Structure formats: C-alpha cells, structure tokens
Amino acid sequence: MLGYILRRLLQVIPVFFGATLLIYFLVFAMPGDPILALFGDKTPSPAVVTQLREQYHLNEPFIVQYGYYIAGVFQGDLGMTYSGRPVSAVLAATLPVTGRLAVMAIAIEFTLAIIIGTISALRKGKIFDNVSLVVALVAIAIPIFVISFLAQYFLAIQWGWFKPTVGADNGWGGLWLPAIVLGFSLYAVSMRLMRSSVIDTLNQDWVRTAYSKGLSRSRVLPVHVLRNSLIPVITNSATNFGVLLVGATVTEGIFNVPGVGNTLFQAIQRGEGPTVVSFVTVFVILYVLVNLFIDLLYGLLDPRIRYA
C-alpha cells in the first residue's frame, strides 16, 4: 500500500511540469498586450510600459519567463498579479469559497444519486423509474445558465427561499442556491450510474447466496448491494469535484460568487500568466490527491480490490 501511494505521489512531478509548461505557453501565446490592457482606454507612457515589462519579465523569451516562474514556485512564491497583489493571497481568498461550493454541490449530487438511483433500480420499469429517467434527461439537456436563471427567479425572487446573489455572504449558508443548481445539473449521470450498478449487483451470485442464507432485505441491500454499487458513483463524483473547482465559472458569475471561477476568468482576459498557471497548478495537484484518496477508498468499499 505504501509503495502504491509513493508511486502515485511521484506521478505528480511530471504532471506538475507538463501542466505548468502547457498552460504557461497557452497564456504566452494569447493575442494582445496584458500591460496595455491594464490601462484600459488610457495610453501609458513608453517609459511606464517598459518598466512594467521588465518588472514582470515580459520582455524575456517564453522559456525564460517560465524559468522565473518555476524558480519562484520552488521558493514558495506564486508570483504577482499585474495589479501588484500576490497570487497566493488571491488564491487564499477565493479557493475556500469555491471549495465550499464544490463540497456542497457534490454532497447534494451524491445524496440524490444514491437515493433516486437505488429506488429506480429496485422499481425497474415502474412509474418512479420512468419519471426519474425523464427528470435526468431534462437535467442533462438544459444548459447550466438556464437552470441558474430559473432557480434564481423562482427560488430566490418569487418565493424568497434564498438570496438571489451571494456576494460577501459566501459562507456555508449563503452558497445553498448555487450549490443546489450545480448539484442538480450533475446528479443525473451519477444517478443513472447508481441505477445500473445496483441492477447489476442484484444479479450477482453473492447477493443470491445472501438471500438463500436467510438474510433480510434490510441487511442485504446496504451491506452487499449498495456498498459494491458505489464505486462508479464515487468515481464520477470525484471527477465532478475537480471540474467544479475550475469549471463553475458560469454559475459563479450568475450568482456573483467571489470564487476561483470568476478570478480565473478575469486573469485569462488580462493575460496574467502567473495567476492562471498558479491556479491551474494548484488544481492539478488537488485533483491528483483527490483521485488518490478515491483509489484508496475503493479498497474499503470492495474487499476484492487491493493495492500491492
């Protein structure tokens, strides 16, 4: 087990260098001048532009800029934004907000997937199963911004159950509406995976053996069926967690969530290489660690899975 964990952690090294090099090159290759973009409609003096280029090493070739960035990372410095704020401070302010939103959304998705997917499998072909299929198809087909606007209009404005925007109130309680929207938009795939997995598990020999030994349904379902059916759902939820850390930009924009998505989008527009690369690098490492945790969790869920 320890050797497996060490091998997985060593895989972070090539992933780290590959991801940072690729993202930094993409930001470097973007059209436009990030220094001129800082001044908007104003035209800065050539001396100011030259000073800022030298300050941020923008007058250097791409590989030299990347070398400066990597050297700073190994010294604990993620760089500076073009507004003069440390990237680490920006990350520290936005990552907890997006992290809370992602955890809440995944919890909602996971809960809905297990409950609805299990009931659909046990009532295969009946009314509940057919209705849940239709709802899942609707959740998959409707774009996330449409679901967001509908939830904002009905749940917040018309019925007053939630605040329409988040803003400074970005604690656990203030993020319920965007978390519900994200959880609902993601649950459909996990629910169908759970349904298929439960149906497949119900037809396995060990389940029939458990019933033949006289075990009750209340004992067989949670211990023998659900436990062995969770692996595909957990895998999908882990993938969704990584997606939410970076890809909740639209939802964060609609609900005015001061999280990673909004900040990263603005950094891309400004061409801030250190900000974009630092954010993506942290997400890559988090994503690898989350997947490592999920891999280790497989062994607890299914005793047949072991890591030599």
Side-chain angles (χ1 to χ4, degrees):
M1 175 69 75
L2 181 59
Y4 173 78
I5 295 176
L6 291 176
R7 287 197 302 272
R8 288 297 302 270
L9 292 177
L10 288 175
Q11 291 176 2
V12 177
I13 297 176
V15 171
F16 167 78
F17 284 104
T20 54
L21 181 62
L22 177 61
I23 298 300
Y24 211 101
F25 173 76
L26 292 176
V27 175
F28 180 85
M30 288 177 58
D33 191 332
I35 298 300
L36 295 179
L38 286 175
F39 295 89
D41 297 332
K42 299 180 180 179
T43 303
S45 64
V48 173
V49 173
T50 302
Q51 179 184 355
L52 290 175
R53 289 187 189 280
E54 293 178 354
Q55 178 181 346
Y56 294 105
H57 306 291
L58 296 179
N59 57 336
E60 303 283 356
F62 158 72
I63 196 64
V64 176
Q65 294 185 36
Y66 178 73
Y68 278 119
Y69 171 76
I70 290 297
V73 169
F74 284 111
Q75 297 174 8
D77 182 13
L78 296 178
M80 301 285 291
T81 66
Y82 292 159
S83 59
R85 188 180 180 189
V87 175
S88 56
V90 178
L91 189 63
T94 57
L95 185 59
V97 179
T98 301
R100 287 192 293 268
L101 178 61
V103 169
M104 294 173 67
I106 291 299
I108 294 171
E109 174 219 0
F110 197 71
T111 302
L112 290 175
I114 292 176
I115 295 175
I116 299 177
T118 302
I119 297 176
S120 296
L122 297 177
R123 299 176 177 271
K124 179 182 177 182
K126 296 184 180 180
I127 296 178
F128 184 90
D129 184 28
N130 295 328
V131 172
S132 65
L133 173 60
V134 173
V135 174
L137 293 175
V138 171
I140 295 174
I142 299 180
I144 185 65
F145 66 87
V146 175
I147 300 177
S148 299
F149 284 130
L150 290 175
Q152 197 173 46
Y153 178 76
F154 288 103
L155 299 182
I157 298 176
Q158 291 294 321
W159 300 338
W161 293 354
F162 305 96
K163 292 183 178 180
T165 57
V166 175
D169 185 19
N170 51 52
W172 293 98
L175 294 171
W176 272 111
L177 186 56
I180 290 173
V181 169
L182 288 171
F184 177 75
S185 65
L186 294 173
Y187 101 98
V189 175
S190 295
M191 186 274 290
R192 299 303 294 179
L193 285 173
M194 186 67 187
R195 176 186 178 275
S196 300
S197 185
V198 170
I199 292 175
D200 181 67
T201 305
L202 287 172
N203 295 322
Q204 297 298 320
D205 292 337
W206 71 78
V207 175
R208 288 192 287 266
T209 302
Y211 279 122
S212 65
K213 289 182 177 180
L215 295 180
S216 63
R217 186 183 181 91
S218 60
R219 172 70 178 174
V220 173
L221 286 179
V223 176
H224 297 277
V225 177
L226 293 184
R227 180 177 175 182
N228 291 280
S229 302
L230 286 175
I231 290 180
V233 182
I234 290 177
T235 303
N236 187 67
S237 297
T239 303
N240 288 335
F241 182 78
V243 171
L244 288 176
L245 284 179
V246 187
T249 305
V250 174
T251 306
E252 287 187 2
I254 293 174
F255 292 101
N256 192 28
V257 180
V260 168
N262 271 334
T263 305
L264 190 59
F265 178 71
Q266 294 170 7
I268 293 173
Q269 285 186 315
R270 293 191 296 265
E272 289 186 0
T275 305
V276 176
V277 178
S278 296
F279 272 54
V280 174
T281 301
V282 172
F283 298 147
V284 167
I285 295 175
L286 287 176
Y287 192 76
V288 171
L289 294 178
V290 168
N291 279 273
L292 173 60
F293 172 75
I294 295 302
D295 285 349
L296 298 178
L297 186 60
Y298 290 163
L300 297 177
L301 293 174
D302 192 342
R304 296 171 299 174
I305 299 176
R306 289 293 181 265
Y307 301 103

